[in-house]
Each structure stands twice: as structure tokens, then as C-alpha cells.
Amino acid sequence: LDALPFVTLLDGMLMETQTRPAPPDPAANQRRRWTSLLFALTAAATILVPFLFWKQTWFGEPLTDEQISQYLSEAGKPRHIQQAVVQIQERIERGDASAARWYPQMAALKDSPVAELRVTLAWALGADNRSELFRQTLLELLRDSNLLVRRNAALSLVRFGDRSGREEIRKMLEPHLLRAPTSGRLRYRLPVGTALNEGALLARLERPDGTTVEVRSPLPGKLLRHLAPEGASAAEGTAVALIAPGKEHVWEALRALLLIGEKDDLPLVEPFTRAGSDDYPETIRQQAVLTAAALRRRLPENAVDTASPP
């Protein structure tokens, strides 16, 4: 009985020892502060980095006349030039006649070494379908080495009533044949059926010197087939893949052929009139129906005159 208070006291001392906080450790506190700071910086970066990327790629911030003139002259800053071109296009579409002061500078951009800039330019030049300078520039861009530049130029020419890009527009409804840019052993990176964005890495070519060359999709779409065996030794120009046209390209081509198409375009248009395809939405089927109906009614003598804009 005399031992009971001692045991109780001992239990209380042990409990107090277990629950008493340990003396502060300066090194541990410093680590905790650094960890908290790191988490805070990471959280800020997840917000700031997308914002900065959006800021760099968004062309909606209005530019003054002086800024547009300055941006067009900054040869080393293609993003600035691209932003200026987009805003000139928007001014033209709003009916701002003062935008004509930049037309010669815009037309000169057809010789830019930056393909993305020429892609934007080929679309923007369609904004003023009364400008003969723009039409002549688009005819030159129709021979560009870049596939997307040619397609945008062909679509823009439709706004002029010019059928010069019709063959290029027809190709927008057909699967694209991708060829090897050089020789090498073929290593595919994506399986058949993959949805593709422009620039998607489809394959690599391993060269005898140990270097590799990337084979990328020049346009959005869907990988239909591999046309050469995995690991095959492919020569330059060998067909390596077949790419189904992307939804945006099909949509724009159907709308263009509604205006400038001919009866012999029907075999390209009619497959898109059928329902049940998961690759293309109902809006494309409806547009294909309208385009096909217009082509059936069209007579050769009603073809659009290509000699001059309407």
C-alpha cells in the first residue's frame, strides 16, 4: 500500500517526460523555414510560369501605332513581328483604313526565315481582299516550302475569289504521306491511332555516325499507318507514315470548296458526309453535306474567274 503513491508518482513523471516538448533545434527550424519557402515558391511558380507563357503567346494586348511600326522592324524578335501582324489584321477587319500604311512591310515578311511567322502572315493577308499587293504575295506564299504556309495562303486566296490554291485545298481532305528527311535506321515513337499535334515526334532515324534525326508531323491529325517496318534502313524520301487530316483542316477545306470547288472534288468531300465517325464532329458532317450539294449543282461555266479578284 505504501508503494502505490510512489508508482503513481513515477507514472506521472514518465508521462510528463514523454509529453514535455524537446528543446528547440535551430538547425531543424532553419530546415523547416527553407521547406516552407520552397513550397511557397513552387506554388507561386505554378501560377506565374503559365501566366508568363500566356503573356508571351497572347497577342490581344493593344499596340500603339508606334509600337506596331517598331515591332515590324525588329528582325531579331519574330514574336514581336507576329504580334504586330495579328493586330494589323484585326485593324483591317474592323475597317481601319490607316492599316494600309504597313502593307508593304507585311508583304516583305514573305521572305522571313521563320516559318511560324510566314504561317501567320499567310492567314493575315486574306483580311483585305481588295489589296492586289496582298494577293500577289499570297500567290508567292502558295509556293512556300512549308506545308502550313501553303495551306493558309490557299485559304486566304479564296477570300479574293482566286482559285489558284484549289489543289492545295484538295490535299487538306486527303491523308498526308510523311517521308524520311534523310537516311537512317527507323525507330517509331508513336503507335498507330495516336492523335497528333503539329510537331509531334513520330520517329527517329539513327544514322551510321551515331547521330539521330527526328521525324515530326508537319500538321495535326491522326497517325493512320506505319509504312515501313520498325528498325528498317530507310533511304531519304522513303514513305514512313500516313497521317489522316485534322478536324480544323477538314473544316476549312470544306468551307473553301463550297465557294471554289468543282464537280471532281466530290469524291474527296463525300466521305465526310457520312455519320458515325468518331474522328470528326457532327459540324463537319453537316458542312460536308452542304459542300457536296453545292458541287453537284455546279456547272463548269459557273467556275470562279481566277484572272482577277471580284
Side-chain angles (χ1 to χ4, degrees):
L1 292 176
D2 292 340
L4 183 59
F6 176 76
V7 173
T8 304
L9 178 62
L10 181 61
D11 288 344
M13 292 173 64
L14 288 173
M15 184 176 297
E16 182 180 0
T17 302
Q18 292 171 354
T19 58
R20 183 182 302 159
D25 181 357
N29 288 339
Q30 182 71 11
R31 286 195 298 271
R32 280 194 293 272
R33 283 196 293 270
W34 277 109
T35 301
S36 299
L37 179 60
L38 181 60
F39 282 143
L41 290 174
T42 301
T46 59
I47 299 172
L48 183 60
V49 171
F51 171 77
L52 292 176
F53 176 79
W54 168 81
K55 183 74 171 175
Q56 290 295 320
T57 56
W58 183 61
F59 294 152
E61 184 175 350
L63 298 177
T64 64
D65 291 359
E66 293 74 17
Q67 285 176 314
I68 290 178
S69 297
Q70 176 189 342
Y71 280 22
L72 286 174
S73 64
E74 293 179 341
K77 298 180 178 180
R79 296 293 296 174
H80 276 187
I81 300 174
Q82 199 172 12
Q83 182 175 0
V85 168
V86 170
Q87 296 215 359
I88 294 170
Q89 174 191 351
E90 292 172 351
R91 291 190 181 203
I92 296 170
E93 291 171 346
R94 292 198 301 266
D96 186 349
S98 68
R101 78 183 80 170
W102 295 297
Y103 282 15
Q105 288 174 276
M106 288 182 68
L109 294 173
K110 64 180 173 55
D111 298 320
S112 169
V114 182
E116 291 80 2
L117 178 54
R118 302 197 310 276
V119 169
T120 301
L121 177 68
W123 186 258
L125 292 180
D128 186 352
N129 62 359
R130 295 169 298 178
S131 170
E132 183 62 18
L133 174 61
F134 279 6
R135 190 175 82 95
Q136 292 299 326
T137 304
L138 286 168
L139 290 173
E140 294 187 52
L141 290 172
L142 198 56
R143 301 189 295 271
D144 197 275
S145 60
N146 183 279
L147 176 67
L148 295 183
V149 175
R150 296 196 303 271
R151 291 190 172 186
N152 271 359
L155 292 170
S156 287
L157 282 167
V158 173
R159 302 185 188 183
F160 291 79
D162 192 319
R163 299 173 59 253
S164 301
R166 176 171 163 263
E167 287 303 317
E168 195 66 50
I169 292 171
R170 284 169 54 90
K171 293 176 184 177
M172 295 171 68
L173 299 177
E174 299 175 323
H176 177 72
L177 190 64
L178 186 63
R179 298 184 181 276
T182 187
S183 60
R185 191 167 299 279
L186 186 62
R187 302 295 182 189
Y188 286 109
R189 306 297 299 175
L190 294 175
V192 170
T194 301
L196 305 173
N197 293 319
E198 178 195 349
L201 179 60
L202 291 180
R204 287 193 174 96
L205 292 165
E206 299 173 349
R207 309 191 69 178
D209 60 2
T211 61
T212 60
V213 175
E214 295 179 339
V215 181
R216 293 184 176 273
S217 176
L219 73 174
K222 178 181 177 180
L223 181 56
L224 285 179
R225 286 202 301 273
H226 294 154
L227 298 178
E230 168 71 18
S233 181
E236 181 179 351
T238 299
V240 297
L242 195 64
I243 302 172
K247 294 187 288 291
E248 296 82 2
H249 288 226
V250 171
W251 170 256
E252 293 295 347
L254 291 172
R255 294 204 304 162
L257 291 178
L258 177 68
L259 299 174
I260 65 164
E262 299 178 6
K263 280 190 173 182
D264 59 358
D265 297 326
L266 269 173
L268 294 174
V269 172
E270 286 180 330
F272 296 98
T273 65
R274 305 184 186 108
S277 173
D278 295 332
D279 296 326
Y280 302 103
E282 174 64 14
T283 52
I284 284 183
R285 190 192 70 81
Q286 293 172 357
Q287 181 62 55
V289 169
L290 292 174
T291 301
L295 295 179
R296 291 190 188 98
R297 293 192 303 267
R298 192 156 295 157
L299 298 175
E301 57 267 29
N302 293 332
V304 178
D305 181 13
T306 62
S308 61

